Coordinates of all heavy atoms in Angstrom, one line a residue:
M1 N 44.1 107.1 166.9 CA 44.9 106.8 165.6 C 44.0 107.2 164.5 O 42.9 106.8 164.3 CB 45.3 105.4 165.6 CG 45.5 104.8 164.2 SD 46.3 103.2 164.2 CE 44.8 102.1 164.7
E2 N 44.5 108.2 163.7 CA 43.7 108.6 162.5 C 44.4 108.0 161.3 O 45.5 108.4 161.0 CB 43.7 110.1 162.3 CG 42.9 110.5 161.2 CD 42.0 111.8 161.3 OE1 41.9 112.2 162.4 OE2 41.7 112.3 160.3
Q3 N 43.8 107.1 160.7 CA 44.2 106.4 159.5 C 44.2 107.1 158.3 O 43.1 107.9 158.0 CB 43.4 105.0 159.3 CG 43.9 104.3 157.9 CD 42.9 103.2 157.7 OE1 42.5 102.6 158.6 NE2 42.8 103.0 156.5
K4 N 45.3 107.1 157.4 CA 45.2 107.8 156.1 C 44.8 106.7 155.1 O 45.2 105.6 155.3 CB 46.7 108.2 155.7 CG 47.2 109.3 156.7 CD 48.6 109.8 156.4 CE 49.1 110.8 157.3 NZ 50.6 111.0 157.0
T5 N 44.1 107.2 154.0 CA 43.7 106.2 152.9 C 44.4 106.6 151.7 O 44.4 107.7 151.3 CB 42.2 106.3 152.7 OG1 41.6 106.0 154.0 CG2 41.7 105.4 151.7
P6 N 45.2 105.7 151.1 CA 45.8 106.0 149.8 C 44.8 106.2 148.8 O 43.7 105.7 148.8 CB 46.7 104.7 149.5 CG 46.0 103.6 150.3 CD 45.4 104.3 151.5
E7 N 45.3 107.0 147.7 CA 44.2 107.3 146.6 C 44.1 106.1 145.9 O 45.1 105.4 145.6 CB 44.8 108.5 145.8 CG 44.6 109.8 146.5 CD 45.1 110.9 145.5 OE1 45.0 110.7 144.3 OE2 45.6 112.0 146.1
H8 N 43.0 105.7 145.5 CA 42.8 104.6 144.6 C 41.3 104.6 143.9 O 40.5 105.2 144.5 CB 42.9 103.3 145.3 CG 41.8 102.9 146.2 ND1 41.6 103.5 147.5 CD2 40.8 102.2 146.1 CE1 40.6 103.1 148.1 NE2 39.9 102.2 147.4
D9 N 41.2 103.9 142.8 CA 39.8 104.0 142.1 C 39.2 102.7 142.6 O 39.8 101.5 142.3 CB 40.1 103.9 140.7 CG 38.8 103.8 139.9 OD1 37.7 103.5 140.4 OD2 38.9 104.0 138.6
P10 N 38.1 102.7 143.4 CA 37.5 101.5 143.8 C 37.1 100.5 142.8 O 36.8 99.3 143.0 CB 36.4 102.0 144.7 CG 36.1 103.3 144.2 CD 37.4 103.9 143.7
N11 N 36.8 101.0 141.4 CA 36.5 100.1 140.3 C 37.6 99.4 139.7 O 37.5 98.7 138.8 CB 35.7 101.0 139.3 CG 34.4 101.4 139.9 OD1 33.7 100.7 140.7 ND2 34.2 102.7 139.8
D12 N 38.8 99.8 140.0 CA 40.1 99.3 139.4 C 40.5 98.0 140.1 O 40.9 98.1 141.3 CB 41.3 100.4 139.4 CG 42.5 100.0 138.7 OD1 42.4 99.0 137.9 OD2 43.4 100.6 139.0
R13 N 40.7 97.0 139.5 CA 41.2 95.8 140.0 C 42.7 95.8 140.1 O 43.3 95.7 139.1 CB 40.7 94.5 139.2 CG 39.1 94.1 139.4 CD 38.9 92.8 138.8 NE 39.7 91.7 139.5 CZ 39.3 91.0 140.6 NH1 38.2 91.2 141.1 NH2 40.1 90.1 140.9
E14 N 43.2 95.9 141.2 CA 44.6 96.0 141.4 C 45.2 94.5 141.7 O 44.5 93.7 141.9 CB 44.9 96.8 142.6 CG 44.3 98.3 142.5 CD 44.8 99.2 143.7 OE1 46.0 99.4 143.9 OE2 43.9 99.7 144.4
D15 N 46.5 94.5 141.5 CA 47.1 93.3 141.9 C 46.8 92.9 143.5 O 46.7 93.8 144.1 CB 48.8 93.5 141.7 CG 49.1 93.6 140.3 OD1 48.4 93.3 139.4 OD2 50.3 94.1 140.1
W16 N 46.9 91.7 143.7 CA 46.4 91.3 145.0 C 47.3 91.9 146.0 O 48.6 91.9 145.7 CB 46.2 89.8 145.1 CG 47.3 88.7 145.6 CD1 48.0 88.0 144.7 CD2 47.5 88.4 146.9 NE1 48.7 87.1 145.6 CE2 48.3 87.4 146.8 CE3 47.0 89.0 148.2 CZ2 49.0 86.8 148.1 CZ3 47.6 88.4 149.3 CH2 48.5 87.3 149.2
L17 N 46.9 92.4 147.0 CA 47.4 93.1 148.1 C 48.1 94.4 147.9 O 48.8 94.9 148.7 CB 48.5 92.1 148.8 CG 47.8 91.0 149.6 CD1 48.8 90.2 150.2 CD2 46.7 91.4 150.5
D18 N 48.2 94.9 146.6 CA 48.8 96.1 146.2 C 48.1 97.3 147.1 O 48.9 98.1 147.7 CB 48.6 96.4 144.8 CG 49.3 97.8 144.5 OD1 50.4 97.9 144.7 OD2 48.6 98.7 143.9
L19 N 46.9 97.3 147.3 CA 46.1 98.4 148.0 C 46.6 98.2 149.5 O 46.7 99.2 150.2 CB 44.7 98.3 147.8 CG 43.8 99.4 148.5 CD1 44.4 100.8 148.2 CD2 42.5 99.3 148.3
E20 N 46.6 97.0 150.0 CA 47.0 96.7 151.4 C 48.4 97.2 151.7 O 48.7 97.9 152.7 CB 46.8 95.2 151.8 CG 45.5 94.9 151.9 CD 44.7 94.5 150.7 OE1 45.2 94.6 149.6 OE2 43.7 94.0 150.8
L21 N 49.4 96.9 150.6 CA 50.7 97.4 150.9 C 50.8 99.0 150.8 O 51.5 99.6 151.7 CB 51.6 96.8 149.7 CG 51.9 95.3 149.9 CD1 52.5 94.8 148.5 CD2 52.8 95.0 151.1
R22 N 50.0 99.5 150.0 CA 50.1 101.0 149.9 C 49.4 101.6 151.2 O 49.8 102.7 151.7 CB 49.4 101.6 148.6 CG 50.1 101.2 147.4 CD 49.6 102.0 146.1 NE 48.4 101.4 145.7 CZ 47.4 102.3 145.6 NH1 47.4 103.5 145.9 NH2 46.1 101.8 145.2
T23 N 48.3 101.0 151.7 CA 47.8 101.5 152.9 C 48.7 101.4 154.1 O 48.9 102.4 154.9 CB 46.6 100.7 153.2 OG1 45.5 100.7 152.3 CG2 45.8 101.0 154.6
Y24 N 49.5 100.3 154.2 CA 50.5 100.1 155.2 C 51.6 101.3 155.2 O 51.9 102.0 156.1 CB 51.2 98.9 155.1 CG 52.4 98.6 156.2 CD1 52.1 98.2 157.5 CD2 53.6 98.7 155.7 CE1 52.9 98.2 158.3 CE2 54.7 98.7 156.7 CZ 54.4 98.3 158.0 OH 55.4 98.3 158.9
E25 N 52.1 101.4 153.9 CA 53.1 102.5 153.7 C 52.6 103.9 154.0 O 53.2 104.7 154.5 CB 53.8 102.4 152.2 CG 54.6 101.2 152.0 CD 55.8 101.1 152.8 OE1 56.3 102.1 153.1 OE2 56.1 100.1 153.3
C26 N 51.3 104.1 153.6 CA 50.7 105.5 153.9 C 50.6 105.7 155.4 O 50.7 106.9 155.7 CB 49.4 105.5 153.2 SG 48.6 107.1 153.1
N27 N 50.5 104.7 156.2 CA 50.3 104.8 157.6 C 51.5 104.3 158.3 O 51.3 104.3 159.6 CB 49.0 104.0 158.0 CG 47.8 104.7 157.4 OD1 47.3 105.6 158.1 ND2 47.3 104.1 156.3
K28 N 52.5 104.0 157.8 CA 53.7 103.4 158.5 C 54.2 104.3 159.6 O 54.4 103.8 160.7 CB 54.8 103.1 157.6 CG 55.9 102.3 158.1 CD 56.9 101.8 157.2 CE 58.1 101.0 157.9 NZ 59.0 100.6 156.9
E29 N 54.4 105.5 159.3 CA 54.9 106.5 160.4 C 54.0 106.4 161.7 O 54.4 106.4 162.7 CB 54.9 107.9 159.8 CG 55.8 108.9 160.8 CD 55.9 110.2 160.0 OE1 56.3 110.2 158.9 OE2 55.6 111.3 160.6
M30 N 52.7 106.6 161.4 CA 51.8 106.6 162.6 C 51.8 105.3 163.3 O 51.8 105.1 164.5 CB 50.4 106.8 162.0 CG 49.3 106.8 163.2 SD 48.4 105.3 163.3 CE 47.8 105.0 161.7
L31 N 51.9 104.1 162.5 CA 51.9 102.8 163.1 C 53.1 102.5 163.9 O 53.1 102.1 165.0 CB 51.8 101.8 162.0 CG 50.3 101.7 161.2 CD1 50.5 100.8 160.1 CD2 49.4 101.0 162.2
L32 N 54.3 103.0 163.5 CA 55.4 103.0 164.1 C 55.5 103.7 165.4 O 55.9 103.3 166.5 CB 56.7 103.5 163.3 CG 57.2 102.4 162.2 CD1 58.2 103.1 161.3 CD2 57.9 101.3 162.8
A33 N 55.0 104.9 165.3 CA 54.9 105.8 166.6 C 54.0 105.2 167.7 O 54.2 105.4 168.9 CB 54.5 107.2 166.2
E34 N 52.8 104.5 167.2 CA 51.9 104.1 168.2 C 51.9 102.6 168.5 O 51.5 102.1 169.6 CB 50.5 104.4 167.8 CG 50.2 105.9 167.7 CD 48.9 106.3 167.1 OE1 48.0 105.3 167.1 OE2 48.7 107.6 166.8
S35 N 52.4 101.8 167.6 CA 52.3 100.4 167.7 C 53.6 99.5 167.2 O 53.5 98.4 166.8 CB 51.1 99.9 167.0 OG 49.9 100.6 167.4
A36 N 54.7 100.1 167.4 CA 56.0 99.5 166.8 C 56.2 98.1 167.6 O 55.9 98.0 168.6 CB 57.1 100.3 167.0
G37 N 56.4 97.0 166.7 CA 56.7 95.8 167.2 C 55.4 95.0 167.2 O 55.5 93.7 167.2
K38 N 54.2 95.6 167.1 CA 53.0 94.9 167.2 C 52.6 94.3 165.7 O 53.4 94.6 164.8 CB 51.9 95.6 167.7 CG 52.0 95.9 169.0 CD 50.9 96.7 169.6 CE 51.1 96.9 171.1 NZ 50.0 97.4 171.9
W39 N 51.6 93.7 165.5 CA 51.1 93.3 164.2 C 49.8 93.9 163.7 O 49.0 94.1 164.5 CB 50.7 91.6 164.4 CG 52.1 90.8 164.5 CD1 52.8 90.7 165.7 CD2 52.9 90.2 163.5 NE1 54.0 89.9 165.4 CE2 53.9 89.6 164.0 CE3 52.6 90.0 162.1 CZ2 54.9 88.9 163.3 CZ3 53.5 89.3 161.3 CH2 54.6 88.7 161.9
V40 N 49.8 94.1 162.4 CA 48.7 94.9 161.9 C 48.0 94.1 160.8 O 48.6 93.3 160.2 CB 49.1 96.2 161.3 CG1 49.9 96.1 160.2 CG2 47.8 97.0 160.8
V41 N 46.7 94.1 160.9 CA 45.9 93.4 159.8 C 45.3 94.5 158.9 O 44.6 95.4 159.5 CB 44.9 92.4 160.3 CG1 43.9 91.9 159.3 CG2 45.5 91.4 161.3
I42 N 45.5 94.5 157.6 CA 45.0 95.4 156.8 C 44.0 94.7 155.6 O 44.5 93.8 155.1 CB 46.0 96.3 156.1 CG1 46.8 97.0 157.1 CG2 45.4 97.1 155.1 CD1 48.1 97.7 156.6
K43 N 42.9 95.2 155.4 CA 42.0 94.7 154.4 C 41.7 95.9 153.4 O 41.1 96.8 153.9 CB 40.7 94.1 155.0 CG 39.7 93.7 153.9 CD 40.3 92.6 153.2 CE 39.2 92.0 152.2 NZ 39.8 91.3 151.1
G44 N 42.2 95.8 152.3 CA 41.9 96.9 151.4 C 42.6 98.2 151.8 O 43.7 98.2 152.2
D45 N 41.8 99.3 151.9 CA 42.3 100.6 152.5 C 42.0 100.7 153.8 O 42.1 102.0 154.4 CB 42.0 101.7 151.6 CG 40.4 102.0 151.7 OD1 39.7 101.1 152.4 OD2 40.0 102.9 151.0
T46 N 41.8 99.7 154.6 CA 41.4 99.8 156.0 C 42.3 98.9 157.0 O 42.6 97.8 156.7 CB 39.9 99.3 156.3 OG1 39.1 100.0 155.4 CG2 39.5 99.4 157.7
I47 N 42.7 99.8 158.0 CA 43.4 99.1 159.1 C 42.3 98.3 159.9 O 41.7 99.1 160.7 CB 44.3 100.0 159.9 CG1 45.4 100.6 159.1 CG2 44.9 99.3 161.1 CD1 46.3 101.7 159.7
A48 N 42.4 97.0 159.8 CA 41.4 96.3 160.6 C 41.6 96.1 162.0 O 40.8 95.9 162.8 CB 41.1 94.9 159.8
G49 N 42.8 96.0 162.4 CA 43.2 95.8 163.8 C 44.7 95.7 164.0 O 45.4 95.5 163.1
I50 N 45.1 96.0 165.2 CA 46.4 95.9 165.6 C 46.5 94.9 166.8 O 45.7 95.0 167.8 CB 47.0 97.3 166.1 CG1 47.0 98.2 164.9 CG2 48.4 97.1 166.6 CD1 47.3 99.6 165.1
F51 N 47.5 94.0 166.9 CA 47.6 93.0 167.8 C 49.0 92.9 168.3 O 50.0 93.1 167.6 CB 47.2 91.6 167.2 CG 45.7 91.7 166.6 CD1 45.5 92.2 165.3 CD2 44.7 91.5 167.3 CE1 44.2 92.4 164.7 CE2 43.3 91.7 166.9 CZ 43.2 92.1 165.5
D52 N 49.1 92.2 169.5 CA 50.3 92.0 170.2 C 51.1 91.0 169.6 O 52.4 91.0 169.5 CB 50.1 91.7 171.7 CG 49.7 93.0 172.4 OD1 50.0 94.1 172.1 OD2 49.0 92.7 173.5
T53 N 50.5 90.0 169.1 CA 51.2 88.8 168.5 C 50.7 88.4 167.1 O 49.7 88.7 166.6 CB 51.0 87.5 169.4 OG1 49.6 87.1 169.3 CG2 51.3 87.9 170.8
E54 N 51.6 87.7 166.4 CA 51.3 87.3 165.1 C 50.1 86.3 165.1 O 49.1 86.3 164.3 CB 52.6 86.6 164.6 CG 52.4 86.0 163.2 CD 53.5 85.3 162.6 OE1 54.5 84.9 163.4 OE2 53.5 85.0 161.4
E55 N 50.0 85.4 166.1 CA 49.0 84.5 166.2 C 47.6 85.2 166.4 O 46.6 84.8 165.8 CB 49.1 83.6 167.5 CG 48.2 82.6 167.7 CD 48.3 81.8 169.0 OE1 49.4 81.7 169.5 OE2 47.5 80.9 169.2
E56 N 47.6 86.2 167.2 CA 46.2 87.0 167.4 C 45.8 87.6 166.0 O 44.7 87.7 165.8 CB 46.4 88.0 168.5 CG 46.7 87.5 169.9 CD 47.0 88.6 170.9 OE1 47.6 89.5 170.4 OE2 46.7 88.4 172.1
A57 N 46.9 88.2 165.4 CA 46.5 88.9 164.1 C 46.1 87.9 163.1 O 45.0 88.1 162.5 CB 47.7 89.6 163.6
G58 N 46.7 86.7 163.2 CA 46.3 85.7 162.2 C 44.9 85.1 162.4 O 44.0 85.0 161.5
R59 N 44.6 84.8 163.7 CA 43.4 84.5 164.2 C 42.2 85.4 163.7 O 41.2 85.0 163.2 CB 43.4 84.3 165.6 CG 42.2 83.3 166.0 CD 42.4 82.9 167.5 NE 43.7 82.6 168.0 CZ 44.2 83.1 169.0 NH1 43.6 84.0 169.8 NH2 45.4 82.7 169.5
F60 N 42.4 86.7 164.0 CA 41.5 87.7 163.6 C 41.3 87.8 162.2 O 40.2 87.8 161.6 CB 41.9 89.1 164.3 CG 41.1 90.3 163.7 CD1 39.9 90.5 164.3 CD2 41.5 91.0 162.5 CE1 39.2 91.7 163.8 CE2 40.7 92.0 162.1 CZ 39.4 92.4 162.8
G61 N 42.4 87.9 161.5 CA 42.2 87.9 160.0 C 41.5 86.9 159.3 O 40.7 87.0 158.4
F62 N 41.8 85.6 159.7 CA 41.2 84.4 159.1 C 39.7 84.4 159.6 O 38.8 84.0 158.8 CB 41.8 83.2 159.5 CG 43.2 83.0 158.8 CD1 44.4 82.9 159.5 CD2 43.2 82.9 157.5 CE1 45.7 82.7 158.7 CE2 44.4 82.8 156.7 CZ 45.7 82.8 157.4
H63 N 39.4 84.9 160.8 CA 38.1 84.9 161.2 C 37.1 85.9 160.5 O 36.1 85.6 160.0 CB 38.0 85.1 162.7 CG 36.6 85.2 163.3 ND1 35.8 86.4 163.4 CD2 35.7 84.2 163.7 CE1 34.6 86.2 163.8 NE2 34.5 84.7 164.0
E64 N 37.7 87.1 160.3 CA 37.1 88.1 159.6 C 37.0 88.1 158.0 O 36.0 88.5 157.5 CB 37.7 89.5 159.9 CG 37.5 89.8 161.4 CD 36.1 90.2 161.8 OE1 35.3 90.9 161.0 OE2 35.6 89.6 162.9
F65 N 38.2 87.5 157.5 CA 38.3 87.6 156.1 C 38.7 86.2 155.4 O 39.5 86.1 154.5 CB 39.4 88.7 155.6 CG 39.4 90.0 156.4 CD1 40.2 90.3 157.2 CD2 38.2 90.8 156.1 CE1 40.3 91.5 157.9 CE2 38.2 92.0 156.7 CZ 39.1 92.3 157.6
W66 N 38.1 85.2 156.0 CA 38.5 83.8 155.7 C 38.4 83.5 154.1 O 39.2 82.7 153.7 CB 37.5 82.8 156.5 CG 36.2 83.0 156.1 CD1 35.2 83.7 156.6 CD2 35.5 82.1 155.1 NE1 33.9 83.5 156.0 CE2 34.1 82.4 155.0 CE3 35.9 81.0 154.4 CZ2 33.2 81.9 154.3 CZ3 35.0 80.5 153.5 CH2 33.8 81.0 153.4
D67 N 37.7 84.2 153.4 CA 37.5 83.8 152.0 C 38.1 84.7 151.1 O 37.9 84.7 149.9 CB 36.0 83.5 151.6 CG 35.1 84.7 151.8 OD1 35.6 85.6 152.5 OD2 33.9 84.7 151.3
T68 N 38.7 85.7 151.6 CA 39.4 86.7 150.7 C 40.8 87.0 151.2 O 41.2 86.9 152.4 CB 38.6 88.1 150.8 OG1 38.6 88.6 152.0 CG2 37.2 87.8 150.2
A69 N 41.6 87.8 150.4 CA 42.8 88.0 150.7 C 43.0 89.3 151.8 O 42.1 90.2 151.7 CB 43.7 88.5 149.5
F70 N 43.9 89.2 152.7 CA 44.2 90.3 153.6 C 45.6 90.3 153.9 O 46.3 89.3 153.6 CB 43.3 90.1 155.0 CG 43.8 89.0 155.8 CD1 44.6 89.1 156.7 CD2 43.1 87.8 155.6 CE1 44.8 88.0 157.5 CE2 43.5 86.7 156.3 CZ 44.3 86.8 157.3
M71 N 46.1 91.3 154.4 CA 47.6 91.5 154.8 C 47.7 91.5 156.3 O 47.0 92.3 157.0 CB 48.2 92.6 154.1 CG 49.7 92.7 154.3 SD 50.5 94.1 153.6 CE 50.1 95.4 154.9
M72 N 48.7 90.9 156.8 CA 49.2 91.0 158.2 C 50.7 91.1 158.2 O 51.2 90.4 157.4 CB 48.6 89.9 159.1 CG 49.0 88.6 158.8 SD 48.4 87.3 160.0 CE 49.9 86.9 160.8
R73 N 51.2 92.0 158.9 CA 52.6 92.1 159.0 C 52.9 92.8 160.3 O 52.1 93.5 161.0 CB 53.1 92.8 157.8 CG 52.8 94.3 157.8 CD 53.2 95.0 156.5 NE 54.6 94.9 156.3 CZ 55.2 95.2 155.1 NH1 54.5 95.6 154.3 NH2 56.5 95.1 155.0
Q74 N 54.2 92.6 160.7 CA 54.7 93.1 162.0 C 55.1 94.5 161.7 O 55.7 94.9 160.5 CB 55.9 92.3 162.5 CG 56.3 92.8 163.9 CD 57.3 92.0 164.5 OE1 58.0 91.1 163.9 NE2 57.3 91.9 165.8
I75 N 54.8 95.5 162.5 CA 55.2 96.9 162.3 C 56.5 97.1 162.8 O 56.9 97.1 163.9 CB 54.2 97.7 163.1 CG1 52.7 97.4 162.8 CG2 54.5 99.3 163.0 CD1 51.6 98.0 163.6
L76 N 57.4 97.3 161.7 CA 58.9 97.4 162.0 C 59.5 98.6 161.2 O 59.0 98.8 160.2 CB 59.6 96.0 161.6 CG 59.2 94.8 162.2 CD1 59.9 93.6 161.5 CD2 59.6 94.9 163.8
E77 N 60.4 99.2 161.8 CA 61.0 100.3 161.2 C 61.8 99.7 160.0 O 61.7 100.4 158.8 CB 62.2 101.0 162.1 CG 63.0 102.0 161.5 CD 62.7 103.5 162.1 OE1 62.3 103.6 163.2 OE2 62.9 104.4 161.3
H78 N 62.6 98.8 160.1 CA 63.3 98.3 159.0 C 62.9 96.8 158.7 O 63.0 96.0 159.5 CB 65.0 98.2 159.3 CG 65.4 99.5 159.8 ND1 65.6 100.4 158.8 CD2 65.8 100.1 160.9 CE1 66.1 101.5 159.3 NE2 66.3 101.4 160.7
E79 N 62.3 96.6 157.4 CA 61.8 95.4 157.0 C 62.8 94.3 156.8 O 63.8 94.7 156.2 CB 60.8 95.5 155.9 CG 59.8 96.7 156.0 CD 58.6 96.4 157.1 OE1 58.4 95.2 157.3 OE2 58.3 97.4 157.7
P80 N 62.6 93.0 157.3 CA 63.5 92.0 156.9 C 63.5 91.8 155.5 O 62.6 91.8 154.8 CB 63.2 90.9 157.8 CG 61.8 91.2 158.1 CD 61.7 92.6 158.1
E81 N 64.7 91.3 154.9 CA 64.8 91.0 153.4 C 65.0 89.5 153.4 O 65.8 88.8 154.1 CB 65.9 91.7 152.8 CG 65.7 93.2 152.6 CD 66.7 93.8 151.7 OE1 67.3 93.2 150.9 OE2 66.8 95.1 151.8
Y82 N 64.3 88.8 152.5 CA 64.4 87.5 152.3 C 64.9 87.2 150.9 O 64.4 87.6 149.9 CB 63.1 86.8 152.6 CG 62.5 86.9 153.9 CD1 61.6 88.0 154.1 CD2 63.0 86.1 155.0 CE1 61.0 88.1 155.4 CE2 62.5 86.3 156.2 CZ 61.6 87.3 156.4 OH 61.1 87.5 157.7
I83 N 66.0 86.5 150.8 CA 66.6 86.3 149.5 C 66.6 84.7 149.2 O 66.9 83.9 150.1 CB 68.2 86.7 149.4 CG1 68.2 88.2 149.7 CG2 68.8 86.4 148.2 CD1 69.6 88.7 150.0
V84 N 66.0 84.5 148.1 CA 66.0 83.1 147.6 C 67.0 82.8 146.5 O 66.9 83.6 145.5 CB 64.5 82.6 147.3 CG1 64.4 81.3 146.7 CG2 63.5 82.9 148.5
T85 N 67.8 82.0 146.6 CA 68.7 81.7 145.6 C 68.3 80.6 144.7 O 67.6 79.7 145.0 CB 70.1 81.5 146.1 OG1 70.3 80.3 146.8 CG2 70.6 82.6 147.1
S86 N 68.9 80.5 143.5 CA 68.6 79.4 142.6 C 69.0 78.1 143.2 O 68.7 76.9 142.8 CB 69.3 79.7 141.2 OG 70.6 79.8 141.3
Q87 N 70.1 78.1 144.1 CA 70.6 76.9 144.8 C 69.4 76.2 145.3 O 69.3 74.9 145.4 CB 71.7 77.2 145.7 CG 72.9 77.6 145.0 CD 74.0 78.0 145.9 OE1 73.7 78.6 147.0 NE2 75.2 77.8 145.6
L88 N 68.6 76.8 146.0 CA 67.4 76.3 146.7 C 66.5 75.6 145.7 O 65.9 74.5 146.1 CB 66.7 77.3 147.6 CG 67.3 77.9 148.8 CD1 66.5 78.9 149.3 CD2 67.6 76.9 149.8
I89 N 66.3 76.3 144.6 CA 65.4 75.6 143.7 C 66.1 74.4 143.0 O 65.5 73.3 142.7 CB 65.1 76.6 142.6 CG1 64.3 77.7 143.3 CG2 64.2 76.0 141.4 CD1 64.1 78.9 142.2
D90 N 67.4 74.5 142.6 CA 68.1 73.4 142.0 C 68.3 72.2 142.8 O 68.3 71.0 142.4 CB 69.5 73.9 141.6 CG 69.4 74.9 140.5 OD1 68.4 75.0 139.8 OD2 70.5 75.6 140.3
T91 N 68.3 72.3 144.3 CA 68.6 71.2 145.0 C 67.2 70.6 145.6 O 67.2 69.7 146.3 CB 69.2 71.7 146.4 OG1 68.6 72.5 147.1 CG2 70.7 72.2 146.1
G92 N 66.1 71.2 145.0 CA 64.9 70.7 145.5 C 64.3 71.1 146.8 O 63.3 70.4 147.3
A93 N 65.0 72.0 147.4 CA 64.5 72.4 148.7 C 63.3 73.1 148.6 O 62.5 73.2 149.6 CB 65.7 73.5 149.2
M94 N 62.8 73.7 147.5 CA 61.6 74.3 147.4 C 60.6 73.3 146.7 O 61.0 72.5 145.9 CB 61.7 75.6 146.5 CG 62.5 76.7 147.4 SD 62.6 78.3 146.4 CE 60.9 78.8 146.5
H95 N 59.4 73.4 147.2 CA 58.3 72.5 146.6 C 58.1 72.8 145.1 O 57.9 73.9 144.7 CB 57.0 72.7 147.3 CG 55.9 71.8 146.6 ND1 55.9 70.5 146.6 CD2 54.8 72.3 146.0 CE1 54.7 70.2 146.1 NE2 54.1 71.2 145.6
R96 N 58.2 71.8 144.2 CA 57.9 72.1 142.8 C 56.6 71.5 142.6 O 56.2 70.4 142.9 CB 58.9 71.3 141.9 CG 60.3 71.8 142.1 CD 61.2 71.1 141.1 NE 62.5 71.8 141.4 CZ 63.7 71.0 141.2 NH1 63.6 69.9 140.8 NH2 64.8 71.7 141.4
G97 N 55.7 72.3 142.0 CA 54.3 72.0 141.8 C 54.1 71.6 140.4 O 53.6 71.3 139.6

């Protein structure tokens, strides 16, 4: 698997996980072809690992990057959408901090 790296300025502080999301998108076609349904861990512009389960990916990510942000996600052709409505907020279903 030859990873593609999105263009970025290493001195530019990006929004958290923006680079990880762009790295995923840049490599999505290859990831789908080689590892559809599995879980990927991405740190910055690097694919750190591919795992069979969410638990394995999480364990690896927290072990390797415990004190910094990283991204893990399932490699899927069509990403699920999650919709949060104001009803959830108004009924107190979401935690209010």
Side-chain angles (χ1 to χ4, degrees):
M1 152 172 74
E2 180 146 350
Q3 175 188 326
K4 296 179 184 175
T5 302
E7 289 186 28
H8 71 283
D9 177 353
N11 298 316
D12 184 20
R13 286 195 56 97
E14 300 184 60
D15 291 340
W16 96 258
L17 293 184
D18 181 61
L19 182 54
E20 284 84 352
L21 289 168
R22 290 190 297 121
T23 299
Y24 178 80
E25 288 302 322
C26 188
N27 290 281
K28 187 174 180 179
E29 188 175 310
M30 179 266 305
L31 289 166
L32 283 169
E34 297 180 9
S35 304
K38 294 187 178 190
W39 289 79
V40 62
V41 174
I42 299 174
K43 175 66 178 160
D45 62 0
T46 301
I47 295 173
I50 297 174
F51 303 88
D52 290 329
T53 68
E54 179 180 16
E55 182 180 351
E56 291 171 332
R59 200 174 314 131
F60 172 83
F62 288 117
H63 180 264
E64 292 294 315
F65 312 113
W66 65 274
D67 63 341
T68 61
F70 66 93
M71 184 181 82
M72 59 179 253
R73 71 186 302 169
Q74 192 170 21
I75 303 165
L76 300 171
E77 174 119 23
H78 302 288
E79 307 296 328
E81 290 185 24
Y82 300 96
I83 299 171
V84 177
T85 68
S86 60
Q87 290 174 328
L88 292 175
I89 296 168
D90 293 340
T91 61
M94 294 183 68
H95 174 72
R96 293 183 181 154

